Amino acid sequence: MVEEQIPKYFLEIAYNGTAYHGWQIQDNAVSVQEKLNQALSILLREEVETIGAGRTDSGVHAKQLFVHFSSKAKVLENKDRFVHSLNALMPFDISAKRLIEVDAKAHARFDATQRSYEYHVHFQKDPFLHEFSWQLRDKPDVEKMNIAALDLLGRQDFSCFSKSNTQVFTNYCDIKRAEWLWDGDRLVFHISADRFLRNMVRAIVGTLMEIGLGKKPIEHIKEVIQSMDRSKAGTSVPACGLYLTEVNYPYID
């Protein structure tokens, strides 16, 4: 007897992370995953557990995150109507963007081939950027930071930028892009890799800022990486400026 396959779906979401203690469900704090699971369970009329492409820390935003779940519910047949109904059940700061039926073996976390982040910095007080960008007084030397960022590229052990006591199999990541660009009078750091360690991007930004503000030489970044010591890297910058912007899969446009 052939066992009936339960359809599997990827759901693309976006969220303002200000009010949440990160993506992942926690016992004593409100998370994005908790709110999403609650809304899905109401709409599908069954308990739903989602698996995300990764987890963002408290206060970090996501312009794109994919999650997967399985269900035979009829409401999933009209994907556009489903997304509209789900959005009506979720808080204003979490949105569903599209629903995609995928192969039963597809996995939102393990199948992702690349993840991209942005870190936003501004230099003039702006009430509309308060929870969405890091305000700095002094402008850094962007050319120096971009020269230093070249040493981040490639597959390396990035233990120096990871939170301690994280349960991961390896601290090796393959960084494909690390670049600062001006966006008008704001500064944005773009970084892409196959995977990231906890707190990694914010620690990298803090280290590059030390170089850009003249506190450390350009060669400092290479020394930090070789040390594999978190205490050698810069301070983690505030979560409000960090955005998960893109997650790539071989089978999703």
Side-chain angles (χ1 to χ4, degrees), residues 5-224:
Q5 288 278 8
I6 300 176
K8 180 176 278 189
Y9 298 88
F10 270 31
L11 179 69
E12 181 184 353
I13 66 168
Y15 53 85
N16 168 355
T18 304
Y20 301 102
H21 288 259
W23 154 256
Q24 193 168 31
I25 284 180
Q26 300 172 47
D27 291 335
N28 302 311
V30 180
S31 69
V32 176
Q33 187 179 26
E34 176 189 342
K35 293 296 184 181
L36 177 61
N37 287 358
Q38 287 173 353
L40 283 169
S41 297
I42 292 169
L43 189 54
L44 300 176
R45 298 185 179 183
E46 62 187 35
E47 285 296 313
V48 176
E49 296 294 333
T50 55
I51 302 291
R55 62 186 187 186
T56 54
D57 288 337
S58 179
V60 175
H61 316 293
K63 294 182 179 180
Q64 182 183 74
L65 176 72
F66 285 96
V67 308
H68 78 243
F69 65 93
S70 299
S71 174
K72 294 189 288 186
K74 291 285 187 185
V75 70
L76 290 159
E77 292 175 2
N78 187 325
K79 294 180 176 59
D80 289 340
R81 184 184 296 172
F82 172 82
V83 168
H84 180 80
S85 299
L86 182 60
N87 277 324
L89 289 168
M90 288 197 295
F92 75 92
D93 46 11
I94 306 172
S95 70
K97 301 177 82 172
R98 59 176 167 152
L99 182 72
I100 306 161
E101 188 167 357
V102 293
D103 185 82
K105 294 180 181 177
H107 198 287
R109 180 182 171 194
F110 298 137
D111 291 355
T113 55
Q114 181 169 283
R115 296 160 173 86
S116 298
Y117 283 87
E118 290 176 3
Y119 193 87
H120 290 239
V121 182
H122 65 288
F123 301 94
Q124 297 291 331
K125 186 175 182 180
D126 186 333
F128 300 105
L129 295 177
H130 174 62
E131 294 175 333
F132 303 103
S133 179
W134 179 33
Q135 183 184 341
L136 275 181
R137 185 190 65 183
D138 299 322
K139 290 187 178 180
D141 187 323
V142 175
E143 184 179 2
K144 281 185 178 180
M145 291 197 296
N146 277 333
I147 293 171
L150 293 174
D151 286 322
L152 294 166
L153 300 179
R155 188 172 188 274
Q156 303 182 69
D157 186 324
F158 287 106
S159 299
C160 60
F161 297 125
S162 175
K163 258 186 178 174
S164 57
N165 302 319
T166 55
Q167 297 176 329
V168 294
F169 179 69
T170 176
N171 285 335
Y172 274 85
C173 306
D174 188 1
I175 296 182
K176 302 292 188 184
R177 182 189 185 191
E179 180 181 24
W180 290 91
L181 294 173
W182 285 104
D183 180 9
D185 59 356
R186 296 167 63 186
L187 190 56
V188 182
F189 181 57
H190 300 263
I191 186 166
S192 301
D194 59 341
R195 60 192 292 270
F196 287 91
L197 307 172
R198 281 200 70 192
N199 209 52
M200 179 172 166
V201 179
R202 289 161 62 194
I204 286 174
V205 171
T207 306
L208 290 173
M209 273 295 171
E210 288 187 336
I211 293 168
L213 294 171
K215 298 175 182 178
K216 299 286 185 182
I218 291 173
E219 299 76 24
H220 176 64
I221 197 92
K222 189 180 292 185
E223 296 168 2
V224 170

